[in-house]
Amino acid sequence: MKKILLTTICLAFATFSFSQQLSRYVVSSGGNYSSNSGYTISSTIGEPMVTTLTSGSNVLTQGFQQSFSAPIDPTITIINPLDGDIFPNNNNIGIDFSITDFVVAAGTGDGHIHYYVNSAMTMKYDTLPITLNGLANGSHQIIIELVDNSHQAFSPTIADTVNFSVNVISGCTDSTALNYDPLANTDDSSCTYPIYGCTGSTYCNYDSTATMDDGSCWGMSGCTDSLATNYDPIANCDDGLCTYQTVCSKPVPTGLYVDNIIHSQAQVHWDNMSDPLCMALKYFIQVRELGTTSWTNKLASDAGLCNFGLPTTSKMFTQLASNTTY
């Protein structure tokens, strides 16, 4: 009986003892948690002991959780263009990049940026995209590097490199244009197009601006004025090129006067009467003694040229009678 009672008591004690649960009371994002045979144990990472809980022969030590994360190194990555990209119709290239765990500023952050375009360096104090304008055809390299506020590179270097090429061929890319260039990959707005019309200059509807004949030519142009020297009786329309015989409206020279009267000679002067519409060929002078009616004609010059006229404007008369009024 005693034996049975003792066993019962032990079983009851064991049941009571193992039914105890030590609940977690730790706010933690790291550590461990386990449960076995009715006991629950939680632990946190690497903090000094602050509280000890006891129950029977069980002891639990807990501490406050400290955030834990693996170290993050700064990075810079060129997103666009990609290494090996080819730009066949654009030489203004935008460079996009991303940075992690690094504050870019002018002296107030972790540092700034040095970027190299074909080895030429530029400093940059923001994270805005980079635009490379007017790149020449050929291969190009861009390197973007993070440096400290003293312009010194980190060790190891924090940088990214991309190689790309530009191959812009400008020209007319419209195959319907007169100056179409099959090799061009970038249109330069130089395309010219045919202008259709009558290209025959002897036809009535001749179009001087036409570059391509459309088969619409009709009639024959020419001078239709029968009074003109180049009248064309078979012309269907007047071409505005009629020419007419020139009528000289100045049969008598103007500006006549005499000087250098010495003994038996005197010099006669007049105006130059030649102009584009009336060319003087010869000048004649008539002389008579005062009180008589008989005139003497004298040639005042040699013959002139039909396209220049006669520039002579004076003639010296000799063998005149002295003491005589002419």
Side-chain angles (χ1 to χ4, degrees):
M1 185 68 181
K2 290 180 180 181
K3 192 180 230 184
I4 294 173
L5 180 60
L6 180 58
T7 302
T8 303
I9 292 172
C10 289
L11 289 172
F13 177 78
T15 302
F16 175 78
S17 297
F18 281 94
S19 67
Q20 297 296 311
Q21 183 175 13
L22 303 180
S23 302
R24 281 191 303 171
Y25 195 69
V26 178
V27 178
S28 172
S29 61
N32 198 11
Y33 170 83
S34 64
S35 177
N36 186 23
S37 302
Y39 287 89
T40 302
I41 298 177
S42 62
S43 61
T44 59
I45 295 174
E47 283 295 317
M49 178 183 70
V50 294
T51 303
T52 300
L53 302 177
T54 61
S55 176
S57 60
N58 299 290
V59 178
L60 172 65
T61 299
Q62 75 173 20
F64 292 106
Q65 169 66 24
Q66 179 179 356
S67 62
F68 173 82
S69 60
I72 301 176
D73 293 327
T75 64
I76 185 166
T77 304
I78 298 176
I79 301 172
N80 179 70
L82 300 178
D83 196 56
D85 274 354
I86 299 175
F87 295 90
N89 53 12
N90 181 24
N91 62 350
N92 300 320
I93 310 302
I95 309 297
D96 298 317
F97 58 91
S98 65
I99 295 176
T100 61
D101 197 34
F102 193 89
V103 178
V104 175
T108 59
D110 297 322
H112 57 279
I113 295 170
H114 285 179
Y115 70 88
Y116 302 80
V117 180
N118 302 326
S119 300
M121 189 271 283
T122 302
M123 291 178 284
K124 184 173 175 62
Y125 296 92
D126 58 57
T127 58
L128 297 175
I130 301 167
T131 300
L132 307 179
N133 291 315
L135 292 177
N137 283 351
S139 298
H140 300 277
Q141 181 185 75
I142 181 165
I143 301 172
I144 304 182
E145 179 183 11
L146 297 179
V147 298
D148 63 21
N149 289 315
S150 298
H151 304 279
Q152 299 300 311
F154 293 101
S155 181
T157 301
I158 306 172
D160 195 13
T161 302
V162 163
N163 294 283
F164 62 93
S165 62
V166 173
N167 185 33
V168 175
I169 303 175
S170 298
C172 175
T173 59
D174 187 346
S175 60
T176 65
L178 294 174
N179 60 332
Y180 166 63
D181 184 354
L183 299 179
N185 56 31
T186 303
D187 195 273
D188 61 0
S189 301
S190 67
C191 294
T192 57
Y193 299 90
I195 301 174
Y196 292 96
C198 175
T199 59
S201 60
T202 61
Y203 293 96
C204 288
N205 62 332
Y206 166 63
D207 185 353
S208 60
T209 65
T211 58
M212 190 75 68
D213 196 274
D214 60 1
S216 65
C217 295
W218 64 273
M220 185 65 67
S221 63
C223 176
T224 58
D225 188 349
S226 60
L227 298 178
T229 57
N230 61 334
Y231 167 64
D232 185 353
I234 65 172
N236 304 106
C237 55
D238 195 274
D239 59 5
L241 300 177
C242 293
T243 59
Y244 299 88
Q245 175 117 22
T246 301
V247 178
C248 186
S249 61
K250 300 176 291 186
V252 178
T254 58
L256 183 66
Y257 69 95
V258 179
D259 62 4
N260 296 325
I261 303 172
I262 302 173
H263 300 296
S264 61
Q265 67 182 28
Q267 189 168 14
V268 180
H269 300 268
W270 61 91
D271 293 334
N272 184 355
M273 305 306 294
S274 293
D275 62 33
L277 297 178
C278 185
M279 298 293 180
L281 180 62
K282 293 181 181 180
Y283 290 106
F284 291 90
I285 298 177
Q286 292 179 312
V287 179
R288 69 178 174 87
E289 293 182 18
L290 186 64
T292 67
T293 59
S294 177
W295 291 91
T296 300
N297 292 326
K298 291 184 177 290
L299 179 63
S301 64
D302 296 327
L305 299 175
C306 61
N307 54 341
F308 292 106
L310 187 63
T312 302
T313 58
S314 67
K315 175 67 176 178
M316 179 67 76
F317 279 82
T318 61
Q319 298 179 350
L320 298 175
S322 60
N323 296 319
T324 302
T325 300
Y326 287 88

